[in-house]
Amino acid sequence: MSFSFSPGMGPRGAIHRLGSAEQEGRFFNRRVVAEMLRFLRPYSRRMAAAVLLMVLVTGLTLLTPYLIKVAIDEYITPGRTQGLAAISLWTAGAFLALYAATAGQQFLLSWIGQRVLADLRRALFEHLQALSMNFHDRTIAGVTVSRVINDVAVINDLLTQGLVSLVGDLLVLAGIVVVMLSMSPQLAALTFVTIPLMVLVTQVFSNHARRAFRETRTSVAQVVGRLAENIDGMRVIQAFAQEDRAQEQFEDVNRVNRDANIAAIRLSFIFLPGIEFLGTLAVATVLFFGGRWVVQGEVTLGVLVAFMAYVTRFFQPIQELSRIFTTMQSAMAGGEQVLRLLDQRPEVTDRPDGHPAADIRGAIELREVSFRYRPDTPLVLQEVDLHIAAGQTVALVGPTGAGKSSIIRLIARFYDASQGAVLVDGRDVRDYAQRSLRGQMGLIPQDPFLFSGTIEENIRFGRPEAGMEAVRAAARMANVDDFVRRLPEGYRTRILEGAVNLSVGQRQLICIARAALTDPRILILDEATASVDTVTEVLIQQALDRLMAGRTAVVIAHRLSTIRNADLICVVDGGRIVEQGGHDELLARRGVYWRLQQVRG
Ligand code: ADP
């Protein structure tokens, strides 16, 4: 793992980019909604059921105050006790049904919500795996994590709770208006007087809230980003004794996030009582005027009581709507980010008629290959020509940054050449089905990366179906078997994160076994530079020699023994192959190779 601290790519750069991206949330983005609705489609039946329940809830919400009105006007006021029991039971039944329907609807929505959430994350993960290295080069892992976790969650809120409550609230609102108008136009008009005031307050709140909530979202992403980066770089931080500075930097973003949250909370706690108060004002107004009208016989007592209930319910959806409004906004912002991720197309793609690389011999050719990582960056390889016969071992040597890794990345087709072509067995790598070609290649990275899991699972990584015998054979061949058997849990030993419970040499050996198990035709090896003890060194060399025998091998070589044993040495410098030949031949030339060996001492 290498750490780059170039400006703009560091944590601050990442946060800045993230911050500016967050600004784009709009109230409504048709494409986001349309794309995201697709994720609801598999659950359309349950969604329909939830909508039906919502209509039921609306109906019952409207019905219950009406039942109370009937009880008062037709039984209590005229002094009729007979039938009062029935209407009371009806009222109780209506409330019961209302609660049941509400619970059912909520449960359904949460159920659908969790499914959609998991589906969205699965789709994103699948997509991330399909994206080429170019994407992963440009993107900070923490930011992607935040997309898959946070943004997806807000979209889910919108799809399930948000949209349904929006429709439900509008229905209730419309229903109440109709019922109020038909019961008593006077009282209805009185209630509606407060609406403009309510809308005004909500509007003011929304404007502030939008800013506040955006601030909280941006700052939480910063906290996540900072945290991820620091955990990743913990060894470096500790090694350079920079804990205090890291702590300070973390506290900075943490504080910003805390204050943003408190500001948003403060806003809510000003707004909500404000709205409540307006609601109470409306109730008091209705009570005052309605009370007089009841006394004057203009409206019945039942109507007044029912109205009180309706007025309270009337303001609920209005409050809800402003909440949904904020949900919509963050969901749109989140949705845009997720869409942007889904819009990324892999740069390395398969042709529809990709050739299967089933039984290749393993000849490799680079034909006038020029390469740049991005259109706006300089060429890192220039007109490189290289022929590797099947079964040959080629050592790439040269100073850091010369382009050696870029060459092997092109052979493994993590990237495509900008000009020229890479050929395997005389066929352009772009004509092969990508995965089948990779299946023929074994990669041993410089940093011996192991996944969490057991040693056995790690060896089996490239061929999950391999039996224990095959695993053991590969392990024996890679000198893994001996030390694994001495471990109390043998092949079942769990590898801790960062494989800290294994030595660097052991990790390298396991990586060799992993590559050996897939029996690749072509080996791509970025020789580790980390020094290991001499015994392990010999074990590694032996394992590699066995593995390379009979296969084509391209090695970024650092050990002199590897270099000397190669069939061909290619000296890479400044993006070109400047010398080729055998060890003695190159030394005799007294060129770059000779100088490199001088430096080596
Ligand atoms: P070597 O393996 O010989 O040390 P590389 O092939 O890694 O050299 O690098 C060659 C050049 O390409 C360097 O200038 C390096 O900065 C650049 N480079 C390497 N990887 C990337 C990348 N993922 N994105 C952009 N530039 C890169």
Side-chain angles (χ1 to χ4, degrees), residues 137 373-374 380 399-406 409 415:
D137 286 350
Y373 280 92
R374 278 186 292 280
V380 296
T400 314
K404 305 179 294 294
S405 311
S406 306
R409 286 176 196 146
Y415 304 86

Side-chain angles (χ1 to χ4, degrees), residues 157-174:
D157 282 351
L158 169 77
L159 281 186
T160 52
Q161 311 292 340
L163 285 181
V164 174
S165 354
L166 181 70
V167 177
D169 287 336
L170 288 176
L171 264 183
V172 169
L173 216 53

Side-chain angles (χ1 to χ4, degrees), residues 276-494:
E276 298 280 359
F277 177 70
L278 280 180
T280 317
L281 210 61
V283 171
T285 316
V286 168
L287 196 60
F288 178 69
F289 288 100
R292 306 188 116 204
W293 291 334
V294 170
V295 174
Q296 291 160 8
E298 285 184 43
V299 293
T300 64
L301 180 62
V303 167
L304 181 63
V305 173
F307 246 83
M308 306 296 258
Y310 284 128
V311 170
T312 338
R313 296 227 170 115
F314 182 70
F315 290 107
Q316 254 167 22
I318 293 186
Q319 286 178 41
E320 275 293 291
L321 283 177
S322 70
R323 191 187 58 81
I324 295 168
F325 184 81
T326 12
T327 310
M328 291 267 273
Q329 264 174 349
S330 40
M332 291 305 152
E336 277 166 27
Q337 298 303 322
V338 170
L339 274 194
R340 185 175 301 177
L341 190 55
L342 287 174
D343 280 344
Q344 295 278 345
R345 296 268 68 92
E347 279 142 78
V348 175
T349 50
D350 269 4
R351 300 213 166 142
D353 53 343
H355 196 79
D359 26 49
I360 56 164
R361 286 174 301 114
I364 301 171
E365 184 187 345
L366 270 69
R367 198 178 280 169
E368 291 189 23
V369 167
S370 295
F371 176 62
R372 50 167 52 102
Y373 280 92
R374 278 186 292 280
D376 55 336
T377 56
L379 285 175
V380 296
L381 294 178
Q382 296 181 45
E383 294 175 4
V384 171
D385 277 301
L386 177 64
H387 288 263
I388 308 172
Q392 236 186 359
T393 297
V394 169
L396 302 177
V397 298
T400 314
K404 305 179 294 294
S405 311
S406 306
I407 291 179
I408 63 169
R409 286 176 196 146
L410 288 178
I411 295 174
R413 215 183 160 214
F414 288 133
Y415 304 86
D416 276 332
S418 313
Q419 272 150 46
V422 177
L423 302 98
V424 169
D425 280 10
R427 189 190 290 272
D428 194 320
V429 288
R430 285 169 285 209
D431 293 338
Y432 286 103
Q434 229 180 113
R435 296 182 58 173
S436 82
L437 187 62
R438 294 239 180 87
Q440 298 290 324
M441 296 188 180
L443 179 78
I444 302 179
Q446 184 170 40
D447 171 37
F449 185 85
L450 299 180
F451 293 91
S452 51
T454 61
I455 293 183
E456 184 185 328
E457 284 160 3
N458 266 282
I459 297 177
R460 207 180 258 136
F461 188 74
R463 230 182 91 196
E465 75 287 355
M468 199 54 220
E469 244 339 283
V471 169
R472 208 165 268 141
R476 263 195 300 274
M477 188 251 160
N479 287 328
V480 167
D481 196 54
D482 286 338
F483 79 80
V484 166
R485 280 211 264 169
R486 283 199 300 274
L487 298 172
E489 290 180 78
Y491 284 92
R492 296 265 154 87
T493 306
R494 293 208 76 80

Side-chain angles (χ1 to χ4, degrees), residues 1-40:
M1 175 70 81
S2 60
F3 294 92
S4 65
F5 287 106
S6 52
M9 288 299 288
R12 289 199 180 277
I15 288 162
H16 173 73
R17 277 193 304 190
L18 189 71
S20 55
E22 296 287 340
Q23 309 294 324
E24 290 164 26
R26 267 172 290 153
F27 175 58
F28 193 80
N29 180 328
R30 194 183 294 176
R31 178 157 176 254
V32 170
V33 174
E35 287 283 322
M36 295 306 150
L37 278 179
R38 283 194 308 132
F39 281 89
L40 272 182

